[in-house]
Amino acid sequence: MALHHQSFDTIIIGAGQAGPGLASALDGRGEKVALFEQRAFGGTCLNDGCRPTKAMRASARVAHLARTAAKHGVHTGDVTVNLAETVARKDELIDAWREGGSDYYKNHESISYVLSTARLTGRDGDLFTVEHDGGVVTAKRVIVNSGARSVPPPVPGLDGINWLDHHSILELTETPDHLVVLGGSYIGLEFGQMFARFGSKVTIVEMADRVIGREDPDISEAVASMLRREGLDVREGVGVSRIDVTEGGARLHLNGGDNLDASHVLVAAGRIPNSDDLGLETVGVETDEHGYISTDEHFATNVDGVYAVGDVNGRGAFTHTSYQDGTILADHLGGGDMTVAGRIPTYGLFTDPPLGRVGMTLTQAQDAGLNVEVAITPGDGVTKAALDGETEGLWKLVVDKDKDRVVGASFFGLYGDEAVQAVSVLMHVDAPASALATWLPIHPTSAEFLPTFYGALEAPGESDQ
């Protein structure tokens, strides 16, 4: 649907996690709203991010549980994965969600939903002008929710091969013989483990001295060791000097002289905001040195009437942060007092087991000069993990001793992504860490370990890093 010379109260560019909710909230207040999406409803999360990858992760986990079932006294034959069937299951789920959301807004009585690129082109008096395929529209307010995209590293020869990114790897229907993953951060580790469990030989190449470098070194090492025990070749502190095309795929020449022959190469390193083709310069919206749109605590840019939410503002590249951006902005535009100031970072690494993270790492807390105590236990110290026979992991709680506040947690282990949220709530409401001592958790669960964890706090030693 093309719109011609219509005027709106608000134009939203991008139907990712923040855009649709904002459109509905503002429409509910009587505003005339247009919502533009250039690719597919739901943004990265729904189409080629969180949900499709977790659907395929579930299949990989089932395969792994079947292969390791003998330790439970359950015996199976050879376990194989039909990747085409796994992808079909993923597509059925995602297509239904995407089509449901898209149909809702396409058929909405008062919100104009347009599948088209859209960019600012300047002003028409007090209104902003936005150009899209087939027309120009105006609005008093523009909200940018354009997201971010993958960018390949500057490796000679990479542009000569058909490399995969986190979009295209989800469409493979045959398991790679040897998948080489460039990048040992969240995307690379999740896909690496997933395809190893599907039956591929997997090598992860990380240029930095350790994988998931934003975590404490002991957490990084615990994750890397778990992957190595599953058969992945995890190489840290190694760069790729050149890539050549081969009959079977590609040959990667590593710094130091080693070569890797890959059937497939996944590029899982680097993302940039989608801010370069929005026409921001036509109205004077400022971006930082990385291209992220600069915003205040209510997501307002330096230009009155223009806001930026989601990955494009650099305040968190996660579905949950984007969604909350929309909630905060909707509240602010309605006269509320919600703000992004003081947001406590929280996220998960969805290897299996997962890593649930909130707040500071121990390293960050010490660098900030806090007087901290820490409790650490390996995964087999958690009763639920032992009962389920899934004891990989390292659990870590960091407390500010002077203020009696939890400042961070790194829960790598069975249901660590769920258990960490109890800590996140505690931090969010600024409750004392000592509240954990009197909390009554359910037995047996992973979260039940938190009171014991609190009782085990002590000054950190060198080995706690």
Side-chain angles (χ1 to χ4, degrees), residues 339-354:
T339 171
V340 75
R343 172 187 276 169
I344 299 170
T346 181
Y347 54 87
L349 163 68
F350 290 97
T351 50
D352 179 30

Side-chain angles (χ1 to χ4, degrees), residues 31 50 66 85 168-169 228 251 258 338 387 412 432 462:
E31 291 197 17
C50 314
E85 293 177 358
S168 53
I169 195 171
R228 290 183 177 118
R251 172 165 292 176
D258 285 350
M338 289 184 69
L387 290 170
F412 172 49
E462 290 186 7

Side-chain angles (χ1 to χ4, degrees), residues 402-423:
D402 295 338
K403 295 183 178 180
D404 187 23
R405 292 295 186 274
V406 176
V407 295
S410 304
F411 292 170
F412 172 49
L414 182 67
Y415 305 128
D417 53 333
E418 298 288 349
V420 80
Q421 302 206 61
V423 177

Side-chain angles (χ1 to χ4, degrees), residues 126-139:
D126 293 334
L127 303 178
F128 297 101
T129 57
V130 173
E131 180 181 64
H132 69 287
D133 296 343
V136 176
V137 291
T138 60

Side-chain angles (χ1 to χ4, degrees), residues 1-3 11-15 34-41 102 106 112-119 130-137 145-146 277-278:
M1 177 182 70
L3 305 177
I11 290 173
I12 301 172
I13 300 176
L35 175 62
F36 290 90
E37 171 55 51
Q38 69 173 0
R39 189 168 66 94
F41 182 89
S102 179
K106 281 181 181 177
S112 297
Y113 175 67
V114 184
L115 195 61
S116 166
T117 57
R119 63 191 312 273
V130 173
E131 180 181 64
H132 69 287
D133 296 343
V136 176
V137 291
N145 179 220
S146 54
D277 191 31
L278 292 173

